Amino acid sequence: MDSDDGMLDAHDLESGEDDFYSGGTDDYNDSDADEPDYGFVEEDVDDSAMVASHRSQINYVVLKEEDIRRHQQDDIGRVAMVLSISEVEASILLLHYHWSVSKVHDEWFADEERVRRTVGILEGPVIPTPDGRELTCGICFESFRPEEIVSVACGHPFCPTCWTGYISTTINDGPGCLMLKCPDPSCPAAVGQDMFEKLASKEDKEKYYRYFLRSYIEDNRKMKWCPAPGCEHAIDFAAGTGSYDVSCLCSHSFCWNCTEEAHRPVDCDTVAQWILKNSAESENMNWILANSKPCPKCKRPIEKNHGCMHMTCTPPCKYEFCWLCLNAWTDHGERTGGFYACNRYEAAKQEGLYDEAEKRREMAKNSLERYTHYYERWASNQTSRQKAMVDLQIMRSEKLEKLSDIHRTPESQLKFITDALLQIIECRRVLKWTYAYGYYLPDHDKRQFFEYLQGEAESGLERLHKCVEKELSVFEIAEGPSDDFNHFRTKLTGLTSITKTYFENLVKALENGLADVDSQAASSKSTNSKPSKSKGGGGKGKGSSKNGGSSS
Amino acid sequence: MQASRARLFKEYKEVQREKVADPDIQLVCDDTNIFKWTALIKGPSETPYEGGVFQLAFAVPEPYPLQPPQVRFLTKIFHPNVHFKTGEICLDILKNAWSPAWTLQSVCRAIIALMAHPEPDSPLNCDSGNLLRSGDVRGFNSMARMYTRLAAMPKKG
Ligand SMILES: [Zn+2]
Ligand SMILES: [Zn+2]
Ligand SMILES: [Zn+2]
Ligand SMILES: [Zn+2]
């Protein structure tokens, strides 16, 4: 109702309300600047910490219903105490000022009179006090003895039956009941929680308290419900820090700002644009979502039931190809100049790959073809991510125990496997959104650098995903412990760590708007044996000078 | 049902008593149904409705007075907040700003006030609203006066 909607005032951020946040507001870049490029993940880091370790400080808290209730009650209690008013009045104030304790304090101490008038907390009756004679209820117009009459602070007389009817009607009209005023049309007096408690039916009261609880989240600028279906947790978010990504206890990750699924490092506008584009193109794209393609060699349909893009046709063909470019997997190195380049739209186009596919020939428009390229990769990573999530779940519920028995290894020492899967899940998410980013990236110089980083990250991820999906299966059916399993551990742990570094570089570069071409290229040197193959080198100078050569 | 009937009966008795007190409003309860009322209101002076008498129809819902009565003009009127064909009225107190302390009599008073002070920003009659919004008060007044003469005044001769 008030005019300050939409303005995030500084008080909200600076108040002492956020003492339950775990950390400060360290810059993201500082937090991991001195991490080595290689180096193995420490065994005792827990799951979520490992995936989140490359994020900025945790700047939010997940609240369960009982936490919400407690926080709400704490805020009410604090306002009541500081302002020396009743908790009922404190609730009225907080409802009016969208649950901002600091805002309530500021307004109240600036001009208590005005605040009282605006929110309807009167200091005394506005009509003459009854002199013992019968009073007329303002709704049913019947006469009552003064002790039968019920009033809020203003003193306007109504009978209990009419109050109950009035309160019940407003509760059933919706959450507006939280801001209820005296039935007298010109009276500003607020009707507080005590009246609902005293006069509403049990059923109505339940509805009222539901609205009251919901208001604490829905009318509060620093709170939001988790958008996952069926989840009843809320997120308390401290604005002003870097990332908008939050992760609920239900495991759903979403963007605080736009409530779409988490999409860091891509910004909300790009995501909104991309999602709109997808729904506009959804009919054209349906066929792409189909999970099978003909083997490029034998033409038999191959179903993609793994997360990694390295496909192997069934025997006797056994042709190994790339799901994305449909070329032989071994071609990747030579054809593309020594590195994985299936992420590159221009390369694929020049190779003439798009002319071969029948479906694509039908697509006359270049723009649709371009969109198709990005959409397919976006969607494939989404599918791969979901697959990895299922794998993780199965790993935790059954496979770990088996592996532990076979290899005589405590489950705690098999954490490198779940760590790898968690890393894959996170990387697929990032990679997926980089395709939306790439679709809207106009600058050609930046594009080269972007595609280089994306390609490196993607090839690392493919190696990791393949290792965990294919090489692990051997050990699941092994007879007993072997040295090979220890080698596998070393390999997988290493791949996990390297992939993590690639993605950190990618995320950092994208969050810098690809401004920092020089330092990024330098830092990727150590993770990549031949820096000279970076075609992005041509764009380096321009990219950095344009942005004043800032560095991290 | 009983509560609303009792309340309407009280209003009925009040109206009988106040008839002389408010000469601009004449509220009449239906002969057979206490939930149906009509009212004759006088167009406020110094408005294009001056000299006209307008008939309103009230349909009172069962939860009255917890819910507002439905009111519409039976007499044609050219007014931005009244639907020209149906007579439906756009007035906040008949919707979300209703209070059970209002009466049929006070609703009539609110409607007279609306006739004197149109709200062109929430128009039910766009032609009329547009005239006022574009600042053409003379154009609006002459249209409104014409309809008052046509529909709300006793025919001469
Ligand atoms: Zn009463
Ligand atoms: Zn009052
Ligand atoms: Zn959740
Ligand atoms: Zn977002």
Side-chain angles (χ1 to χ4, degrees):
Chain A
M1 290 289 162
D2 52 4
S3 59
D4 61 2
D5 277 352
M7 284 292 293
L8 198 65
D9 45 280
H11 317 302
D12 279 354
L13 309 181
E14 290 163 6
S15 70
E17 297 167 47
D18 45 12
D19 46 9
F20 42 86
Y21 296 121
S22 59
T25 55
D26 282 3
D27 189 321
Y28 165 79
N29 287 325
D30 293 339
S31 62
D32 59 53
D34 50 6
E35 258 181 48
D37 286 322
Y38 288 102
F40 299 96
V41 181
E42 284 176 57
E43 293 287 338
D44 56 352
V45 187
D46 86 311
D47 285 354
S48 53
M50 187 212 131
V51 173
S53 64
H54 66 287
R55 310 292 192 81
S56 49
Q57 301 287 330
I58 298 292
N59 52 348
Y60 62 89
V61 180
V62 183
L63 303 177
K64 294 184 190 156
E65 189 169 319
E66 60 265 30
D67 303 323
I68 301 172
R69 253 177 243 291
R70 186 163 36 81
H71 282 281
Q72 189 176 33
Q73 196 49 50
D74 288 352
D75 286 354
I76 294 169
R78 189 169 338 150
V79 166
M81 198 181 66
V82 175
L83 272 49
S84 303
I85 53 175
S86 70
E87 294 209 339
V88 170
E89 291 169 322
S91 305
I92 294 168
L93 276 172
L94 281 163
L95 278 165
H96 191 273
Y97 290 107
H98 305 301
W99 297 100
S100 166
V101 173
S102 52
K103 177 93 175 156
V104 167
H105 288 173
D106 291 352
E107 294 288 326
W108 183 270
F109 292 121
D111 191 345
E112 179 181 330
E113 268 314 298
R114 192 181 52 79
V115 172
R116 281 183 177 275
R117 240 179 298 125
T118 330
V119 306
I121 303 178
L122 310 186
E123 279 188 286
V126 295
I127 56 165
T129 35
D131 50 9
R133 276 182 301 168
E134 293 214 314
L135 293 165
T136 303
C137 165
I139 293 177
C140 64
F141 299 165
E142 303 284 350
S143 297
F144 293 90
R145 277 177 282 116
E147 65 269 23
E148 292 176 296
I149 283 293
V150 180
S151 304
V152 287
C154 57
H156 288 119
F158 303 97
C159 76
T161 314
C162 287
W163 266 118
T164 303
Y166 181 58
I167 284 175
S168 169
T169 307
T170 177
I171 290 175
N172 288 291
D173 276 352
C177 64
L178 298 173
M179 311 296 263
L180 191 62
K181 303 278 180 186
C182 166
D184 187 283
S186 55
C187 179
V191 179
Q193 205 171 81
D194 53 337
M195 294 291 280
F196 288 84
E197 185 54 50
K198 196 157 59 183
L199 294 155
S201 70
K202 186 168 173 286
E203 192 188 326
D204 285 344
K205 249 186 259 181
E206 264 167 35
K207 277 189 206 161
Y208 174 81
Y209 284 117
R210 199 78 229 150
Y211 287 131
F212 192 70
L213 184 82
R214 274 174 50 185
S215 164
Y216 190 67
I217 306 302
E218 289 163 27
D219 299 331
N220 195 328
R221 283 191 207 104
K222 58 194 199 75
M223 303 275 192
K224 263 177 198 168
W225 293 113
C226 166
C231 178
E232 290 181 352
H233 300 147
I235 313 289
D236 182 341
F237 187 86
T241 45
S243 168
Y244 278 127
D245 283 7
V246 298
S247 203
C248 181
L249 294 176
C250 73
S251 88
H252 181 64
S253 296
F254 66 99
C255 167
W256 166 264
N257 193 40
C258 69
T259 65
E260 286 295 338
E261 57 167 5
H263 55 70
R264 187 167 179 261
V266 179
D267 65 64
C268 299
D269 288 345
T270 306
V271 168
Q273 223 180 329
W274 178 252
I275 286 169
L276 195 69
K277 173 89 181 157
N278 288 351
S279 61
E281 301 281 1
S282 62
E283 263 182 37
N284 292 323
M285 290 306 115
N286 275 341
W287 65 272
I288 280 177
L289 281 179
N291 261 336
S292 85
K293 285 181 183 182
C295 164
K297 203 173 175 190
C298 71
K299 307 295 176 204
R300 269 187 305 163
I302 306 284
E303 200 184 335
K304 184 172 183 294
N305 49 12
H306 290 290
C308 100
M309 306 298 169
H310 184 167
M311 306 300 295
T312 306
C313 189
T314 45
C317 173
K318 292 209 272 185
Y319 181 61
E320 290 181 56
F321 65 98
C322 167
W323 173 262
L324 292 178
C325 72
L326 296 176
N327 268 26
W329 187 258
T330 49
D331 276 7
H332 276 140
E334 302 142 37
R335 180 174 57 80
T336 56
F339 59 99
Y340 182 89
C342 276
N343 58 315
R344 298 196 174 198
Y345 174 68
E346 287 303 326
K349 201 170 143 65
Q350 277 160 20
E351 292 283 326
L353 293 171
Y354 286 104
D355 296 335
E356 291 169 20
E358 220 178 82
K359 191 74 194 174
R360 289 184 177 122
R361 206 178 299 134
E362 289 168 20
M363 297 182 179
K365 273 192 231 149
N366 202 28
S367 67
L368 184 57
E369 187 186 88
R370 183 171 173 275
Y371 168 70
T372 305
H373 172 95
Y374 289 95
Y375 181 78
E376 181 173 16
R377 280 149 185 79
W378 180 82
S380 297
N381 277 294
Q382 165 74 355
T383 316
S384 291
R385 180 167 187 266
Q386 281 159 353
K387 179 71 176 36
M389 287 167 88
V390 173
D391 286 350
L392 176 65
Q393 206 259 319
I394 296 171
M395 184 59 64
R396 281 174 167 159
S397 59
E398 331 168 355
K399 288 189 179 174
L400 277 184
E401 199 184 336
K402 271 190 224 157
L403 282 164
S404 168
D405 286 349
I406 295 173
H407 301 280
R408 318 260 193 278
T409 311
E411 272 191 45
S412 61
Q413 288 179 24
L414 296 176
K415 234 176 115 303
F416 71 98
I417 300 173
T418 47
D419 285 350
L421 282 166
L422 282 164
Q423 192 64 55
I424 289 167
I425 290 166
E426 169 65 4
C427 291
R428 289 285 176 204
R429 187 191 66 72
V430 171
L431 192 55
K432 167 182 152 178
W433 286 114
T434 62
Y435 280 106
Y437 180 94
Y439 180 76
Y440 293 108
L441 184 65
D443 186 306
H444 186 73
D445 293 335
K446 283 186 178 179
R447 171 181 303 286
Q448 281 196 328
F449 179 55
F450 161 68
E451 288 185 342
Y452 166 70
L453 288 175
Q454 188 192 39
E456 289 224 302
E458 186 163 345
S459 66
L461 176 58
E462 292 306 332
R463 261 181 290 154
L464 173 63
H465 208 157
K466 186 182 158 204
C467 181
V468 84
E469 272 188 344
K470 295 184 180 154
E471 295 180 31
L472 180 59
S473 56
V474 181
F475 301 104
E476 286 166 8
I477 51 167
E479 299 278 300
S482 64
D483 279 351
D484 288 352
F485 189 67
N486 283 331
H487 294 144
F488 171 74
R489 173 203 303 273
T490 312
K491 181 177 175 189
L492 190 62
T493 311
L495 283 176
T496 304
S497 165
I498 290 163
T499 307
K500 181 167 172 262
T501 308
Y502 281 139
F503 273 81
E504 281 169 2
N505 287 338
L506 180 62
V507 166
K508 237 188 272 181
L510 261 56
E511 285 185 336
N512 279 342
L514 297 172
D516 226 359
V517 176
D518 278 329
S519 69
Q520 290 301 325
S523 80
S524 65
K525 210 183 294 179
S526 52
T527 59
N528 184 359
S529 47
K530 289 176 204 130
S532 61
K533 71 194 169 192
S534 163
K535 282 165 74 187
K540 275 184 202 172
K542 278 182 200 164
S544 58
S545 62
K546 205 185 291 175
N547 289 279
S550 64
S551 70
S552 56
Chain B
M1 189 73 162
Q2 280 316 308
S4 50
R5 184 179 291 277
R7 155 80 187 247
L8 283 167
F9 187 67
K10 285 200 180 290
E11 286 194 45
Y12 172 78
K13 287 208 292 193
E14 191 67 13
V15 162
Q16 303 301 100
R17 204 176 321 141
E18 260 195 27
K19 221 167 224 169
V20 205
D22 199 337
D24 293 340
I25 301 167
Q26 196 188 328
L27 257 172
V28 185
C29 177
D30 187 271
D31 285 343
T32 56
N33 185 349
I34 200 169
F35 291 94
K36 296 252 178 281
W37 295 61
T38 50
L40 292 173
I41 55 174
K42 285 190 186 156
S45 53
E46 285 165 49
T47 72
Y49 311 108
E50 184 172 3
V53 175
F54 298 81
Q55 196 177 21
L56 302 169
F58 285 79
V60 182
E62 217 177 89
Y64 180 82
L66 295 174
Q67 279 176 19
Q70 290 164 14
V71 194
R72 60 187 187 94
F73 274 90
L74 292 178
T75 310
K76 271 253 172 292
I77 178 170
F78 187 79
H79 185 283
N81 310 109
V82 181
H83 195 283
F84 191 66
K85 288 213 171 83
T86 64
E88 187 195 334
I89 304 167
C90 178
L91 181 59
D92 58 351
I93 67 144
L94 292 174
K95 293 175 179 129
N96 47 5
W98 171 253
S99 156
W102 290 97
T103 61
L104 300 186
Q105 182 88 9
S106 52
V107 168
C108 288
R109 257 182 244 123
I111 290 172
I112 292 172
L114 182 70
M115 289 167 82
H117 305 284
E119 306 252 357
D121 288 328
S122 56
L124 272 174
N125 180 338
C126 294
D127 293 340
S128 143
N130 288 343
L131 279 176
L132 272 187
R133 255 185 307 189
S134 63
D136 190 357
V137 179
R138 276 180 62 190
F140 168 78
N141 281 345
S142 67
M143 287 291 282
R145 211 174 301 119
M146 184 188 85
Y147 279 105
T148 305
R149 222 176 291 127
L150 277 175
M153 286 187 184
K155 305 264 185 298
K156 284 173 194 147

